[in-house]
Amino acid sequence: MPGRSDALGTARVLTVDPAATPRVGRKHFAGTLPLADMEVVLTFDDGPRPGRTDRVLDTLARECVRASFFVLGKHALAHPALLRRIAAEGHTVAHHTFAHPLLDRMSTTAAEREIDHGIAAVETALHGRPSERPTVPFFRFPGFASTPALLDRLHQRGIVVFGADLWASDWTDMAPGQQLDLVLARLEASRGGILLFHDPRLQTVQMLPAFLRALKSRGFRVVHVAPPPLRTATARR
């Protein structure tokens, strides 16, 4: 899909090395990504979902914007072509467990099994082979329900844990216009940061075109996050 001549665009790519940046997002952790004033990282959780994620991808393509998708393993296996489209269009495919349980409500062993199940499913859908070593070592806890033991374990494995600096609250039903006003107010107050959306949510799909145009008109810049080249990544077991 061709982009607009006046597209928002992606201002730069930020490499996030697990060795130097084990966890990010001020809503949940002490630090965040080294973003400049008015820089935004767009992230989407819980997909891919046909009829929603593809519309998000269309909107991003029109604005020449790249984002990060924290996908569920069960949806990756159900919709592998859509997952591969996310990757083919230059977005970052990251991890969000297999089935979205709250990991702080189970044993560390069971929680890590769930994480690995999700990673293996995404790797299978993308590359045709299961692996517990993620190609992209980025992970977000469902409901941000981490534990110290799991955070330590993911750090040992070289996996960056993403929280968020602000969110769209799109898990709450509201009109797209209400959501747009809410997110823009939060962005103006924070001057940027890691922003959390959910691509399966219809209100987010409907709001996104106006949101990206508003970023452009208000002087915000989009930063795309990516891991180091695989040969230098620190992911391990």
Side-chain angles (χ1 to χ4, degrees):
M1 172 178 292
R4 301 170 59 118
S5 60
D6 62 341
L8 170 62
T10 300
R12 66 184 178 105
V13 177
L14 175 62
T15 298
V16 182
D17 189 337
T21 314
R23 55 199 68 144
V24 295
R26 290 199 180 98
K27 283 284 189 185
H28 318 97
F29 306 116
T32 193
L33 295 172
L35 299 174
D37 186 51
M38 301 292 281
E39 286 189 332
V40 180
V41 172
L42 301 178
T43 69
F44 294 87
D45 282 9
D46 294 358
R49 177 174 173 179
R52 305 285 173 85
T53 305
D54 43 350
R55 291 173 62 185
V56 168
L57 292 172
D58 290 346
T59 299
L60 295 174
R62 281 194 298 271
E63 294 293 342
C64 303
V65 165
R66 292 183 180 178
S68 296
F69 289 79
F70 290 80
V71 303
L72 294 176
K74 66 178 184 178
H75 294 160
L77 290 180
H79 312 293
L82 186 52
L83 184 74
R84 289 192 290 269
R85 179 186 168 189
I86 295 172
E89 294 185 5
H91 305 289
T92 294
V93 176
H95 303 278
H96 198 45
T97 73
F98 185 80
H100 206 279
L102 297 179
L103 299 183
D104 63 348
R105 299 184 183 179
M106 59 181 69
S107 70
T108 298
T109 299
E112 194 161 15
R113 263 199 314 268
E114 170 68 23
I115 293 170
D116 287 342
H117 191 190
I119 291 171
V122 172
E123 295 294 321
T124 298
L126 277 180
H127 306 297
R129 52 171 176 74
S131 174
E132 293 176 357
R133 176 176 175 168
T135 303
V136 175
F138 296 170
F139 176 79
R140 180 177 273 149
F141 282 87
F144 309 108
S146 64
T147 69
L150 287 170
L151 289 171
D152 287 346
R153 182 64 182 128
L154 290 169
H155 180 44
Q156 292 165 10
R157 293 174 61 180
I159 296 175
V160 181
V161 175
F162 274 74
D165 294 319
L166 63 159
W167 48 58
S169 297
D170 56 355
W171 48 78
T172 300
D173 290 337
M174 66 183 89
Q178 290 177 293
Q179 185 171 313
L180 177 64
D181 291 343
L182 175 66
V183 178
L184 289 175
R186 289 175 176 176
L187 265 180
E188 292 287 358
S190 67
R191 306 284 296 180
I194 304 168
L195 178 56
L196 169 64
F197 289 113
H198 293 79
D199 48 300
R201 293 288 288 165
L202 181 59
Q203 66 201 47
T204 293
V205 174
Q206 294 172 335
M207 176 222 62
L208 192 61
F211 173 72
L212 296 181
R213 298 312 297 162
L215 291 185
K216 172 81 171 179
S217 66
R218 295 178 185 217
F220 286 94
R221 299 174 302 280
V222 173
V223 174
H224 181 217
V225 293
L230 189 58
R231 64 182 180 276
T232 61
T234 56
R236 60 190 180 276
R237 284 194 63 79

